[in-house]
Amino acid sequence: MIDIRHSSEVAAARASGKPVVALESTIITHGMPYPQNIEVAAQVEQDIRDAGAVPATIAVLEGQLHVGLEAHELQTLGQSHGVAKLSRADMAACIATGGTGATTVAATMIAAHRAGIEVFATGGIGGVHKGAETTFDISADLNELAQTPVTVVAAGAKAILDLAKTLEVLETLGVPVIAHGQDAFPAFWSVESPLKAPLRMDDAATIARAHATRAALGLPGGQLVANPIPIQDQIPAEELAPIIAQCQADADTHGITGKAVTPYLLQRIFERTGGRSLTANIALVRNNARLAANIARSLSEITG
């Protein structure tokens, strides 16, 4: 058995039956510099508390799987260097070798499920990278959504991806993709993409019922809730498209592949937007955290 260390706050929530929302930790270690990473992580956790749920930031620290971090652990992680970026393939190895790693969407879903947490808030999921027909670069997040029963609240898939192919793969895998409050599939930093979302639901209670109904039917996997960034915080898609295309061309020129692609592209887009992409990213993560907390509260009322 894997020993899970719960933070004092999460342990108290488990004892009292209070709803819990999982959070990933790569945004802390790979998303922004210290101390901004800690400030944003603490802000997102507080957004969840303010919405009536308990945050559980997930990470592996010196071989120990943590579900919820104490304030000093969050500080330590935020200042650490050489932290592994964990997905399904390397999570067990990191634990077994006593390593320290930050969890991606896939790894966070795995840990959340083992800890009995059914709702997870993130920025954007991984998906099918542009040019995947030759590189086969497809995120493990998609298969995780197909097999691990956690509702993931995100602002769609990261805009650097091939969104149309990402939706096709999710459909093939049988993953429900639910746009919150609109018909269009959101495009991460932008409210809308040209793509229609397969499903639309307008409130947290309905999304929670869909999650519970999937469980009652014995269907494997989770569901993706695509929550658009608040319109006042977005960067319009038509402004971003040429920037993303140029950054992708730069990555190809420099031979950037595999796990290095996403952080490289996000950094280049940050530079080319004068930091606006990071500001938008923070806004959408906070927005997703609030919706996830409302879903977790609704689910708690359904399941008792």
Side-chain angles (χ1 to χ4, degrees):
M1 289 288 290
I2 293 295
D3 177 41
I4 297 176
R5 183 168 299 171
H6 299 93
S7 67
S8 55
E9 187 179 19
V10 172
R14 284 165 54 86
S16 66
K18 193 169 184 178
V20 180
V21 174
L23 295 167
E24 62 160 283
S25 48
T26 51
I27 191 172
I28 300 168
T29 57
H30 296 76
M32 58 192 74
Y34 179 84
Q36 187 182 31
N37 56 352
I38 299 301
E39 293 165 357
V40 171
Q43 193 169 51
V44 171
E45 288 191 344
Q46 190 59 47
D47 288 331
I48 290 172
R49 294 185 190 101
D50 291 345
V54 170
T57 300
I58 293 173
V60 175
L61 304 179
E62 297 180 347
Q64 175 73 58
L65 177 59
H66 287 252
V67 174
L69 297 177
E70 307 294 355
H72 70 276
E73 293 167 339
L74 190 62
Q75 281 284 342
T76 299
L77 183 65
Q79 297 178 72
S80 298
H81 299 285
V83 177
K85 186 178 180 182
L86 303 180
S87 191
R88 169 171 279 266
D90 37 28
M91 187 177 185
C94 183
I95 294 170
T97 58
T100 292
T103 55
T104 60
V105 169
T108 305
M109 290 181 71
I110 292 167
H113 178 51
R114 287 199 61 87
I117 302 171
E118 298 180 87
V119 183
F120 161 35
T122 185
I125 65 161
V128 180
H129 279 267
K130 292 175 181 178
E133 60 272 18
T134 56
T135 65
F136 291 88
D137 191 352
I138 301 173
S139 172
D141 295 353
L142 303 187
N143 272 317
E144 206 60 53
L145 277 160
Q147 61 186 306
T148 302
V150 174
T151 286
V152 178
V153 182
K158 292 183 176 70
I160 58 176
L161 303 169
D162 188 321
L163 298 185
K165 287 187 176 68
T166 297
L167 283 176
E168 287 290 348
V169 171
L170 287 168
E171 180 184 22
T172 299
L173 295 173
V175 176
V177 178
I178 304 163
H180 177 239
Q182 65 181 38
D183 295 322
F185 185 65
F188 197 57
W189 295 300
S190 308
V191 170
E192 294 186 351
S193 73
L195 304 168
K196 187 177 186 297
L199 298 165
R200 171 179 175 165
M201 294 180 187
D202 294 342
D203 58 83
T206 305
I207 296 168
R209 284 197 301 273
H211 178 103
T213 303
R214 284 182 62 80
L217 288 169
L219 294 172
Q223 51 185 16
L224 173 63
V225 179
N227 186 36
I229 183 174
I231 194 164
Q232 69 271 18
D233 298 309
Q234 76 160 340
I235 305 175
E238 59 270 19
E239 181 182 341
L240 273 172
I243 294 173
I244 293 172
Q246 183 58 59
C247 294
Q248 183 67 61
D250 292 346
D252 294 342
T253 298
H254 291 94
I256 308 296
T257 60
K259 283 187 178 183
V261 171
T262 295
Y264 176 86
L265 291 177
L266 294 179
Q267 179 59 33
R268 295 290 287 134
I269 292 166
F270 169 80
E271 293 164 1
R272 287 180 173 269
T273 60
R276 289 171 63 207
S277 62
L278 179 56
T279 301
N281 197 17
I282 293 168
L284 66 84
V285 170
R286 295 187 65 191
N287 189 48
N288 294 342
R290 290 187 287 265
L291 177 59
N294 289 333
I295 294 168
R297 285 174 46 232
S298 294
L299 189 58
S300 179
E301 291 168 6
I302 292 169
T303 59

